[in-house]
């Protein structure tokens, strides 16, 4: 890619990420092009469909989540590593309102690869952390990474329209991970 084309691509991605964070996955493509300082034709040359643009925004963020999981996997406390990563997944989901749902709509519309790679990346990164937590007896053996990601997604969907959605998601995730009993109480 030529240097000017790469700059346009990067500006479009940055503008799309900001627009998705503010307005959700249905953010205006014209607004994204305007924010990026490019014409609509340039946006569509790089991203022929909304779904392809969303996939690119999502993939970059997923790569960051996977790098975070890899960093956490080297830490001494597998329980903390897993919880920290699940909170990062929740922050990602809350800050990208409607992105995952939009990508899944694309998958249901016949493009089965759209979002699938990112889903696989997240699942594998989380599965590694969960396996370490199980080995340390810090996670139940019957809990799967799919269970945990479904839980995080459900929490985020419940709070995504709230002004303090991130704080609420973190609180609810902590509640789910620690339970409702006061510390030290067994009943």
């Amino acid at each position: 890619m030529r240097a000017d084309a790469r700059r346009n691509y990067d500006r479009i991605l940055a503008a799309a990420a900001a627009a998705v964070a503010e307005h959700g996955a249905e953010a205006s493509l014209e607004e994204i092009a305007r924010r990026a300082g490019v014409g609509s034709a340039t946006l569509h040359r790089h991203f022929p469909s909304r779904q392809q643009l969303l996939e690119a925004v999502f993939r970059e963020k997923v790569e960051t989540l996977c790098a975070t999981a890899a960093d956490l996997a080297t830490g001494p406390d597998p329980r903390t590593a897993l919880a920290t990563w699940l909170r990062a997944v929740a922050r990602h989901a809350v800050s990208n309102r409607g992105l995952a749902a939009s990508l899944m709509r694309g998958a249901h519309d016949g493009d089965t690869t759209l979002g699938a790679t990112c889903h696989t990346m997240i699942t594998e990164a989380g599965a590694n952390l969960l396996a370490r937590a199980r080995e340390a007896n810090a996670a139940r053996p019957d809990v799967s990474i799919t269970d945990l990601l479904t839980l995080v997604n459900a929490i985020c969907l419940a709070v995504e329209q709230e002004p303090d959605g991130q704080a609420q998601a973190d609180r609810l995730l902590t509640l789910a991970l620690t339970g409702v009993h006061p510390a030290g109480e067994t009943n």
Side-chain angles (χ1 to χ4, degrees):
M1 194 179 287
R2 291 186 341 234
D4 61 332
R6 184 68 202 180
R7 280 191 302 274
N8 286 342
Y9 181 90
D10 291 342
R11 288 197 321 247
I12 292 167
L13 273 183
V20 167
E22 289 176 33
H23 305 291
E26 299 304 318
S28 162
L29 295 180
E30 290 75 24
E31 173 66 14
I32 291 169
R34 188 189 64 70
R35 284 183 182 200
V38 301
S40 182
T42 299
L43 183 143
H44 289 288
R45 196 168 29 258
H46 287 285
F47 302 100
S49 72
R50 173 183 296 275
Q51 294 299 105
Q52 288 174 331
L53 176 60
L54 293 175
E55 171 78 8
V57 169
F58 193 57
R59 183 176 187 87
E60 187 173 297
K61 292 172 184 281
V62 167
E63 288 169 351
T64 300
L65 281 174
C66 292
T68 298
D71 290 344
L72 289 167
T74 63
D77 183 358
R79 176 189 309 229
T80 300
L82 179 61
T84 299
W85 186 74
L86 290 171
R87 284 186 179 84
V89 172
R91 278 192 305 279
H92 165 74
V94 169
S95 69
N96 294 289
R97 297 178 306 125
L99 187 55
S102 180
L103 290 172
M104 288 299 99
R105 269 196 307 276
H108 294 304
D109 292 342
D111 187 351
T112 57
T113 62
L114 192 60
T117 301
C118 292
H119 177 75
T120 299
M121 291 167 60
I122 289 172
T123 301
E124 289 174 358
N128 291 336
L129 291 171
L130 179 57
R132 283 190 69 235
R134 277 196 200 116
E135 289 169 10
N137 203 28
R140 292 173 26 177
D142 63 329
V143 172
S144 73
I145 193 60
T146 302
D147 294 336
L148 295 175
L149 292 172
T150 300
L151 177 65
V152 169
N153 189 48
I155 288 169
C156 293
L157 284 172
V159 301
E160 77 176 2
Q161 298 301 322
E162 300 297 323
D164 62 343
Q166 182 55 57
Q168 287 185 18
D170 190 58
R171 181 181 167 283
L172 291 172
L173 182 56
T174 298
L175 179 63
L177 293 174
T178 60
V180 296
H181 295 290
E185 189 176 307
T186 59
N187 292 1

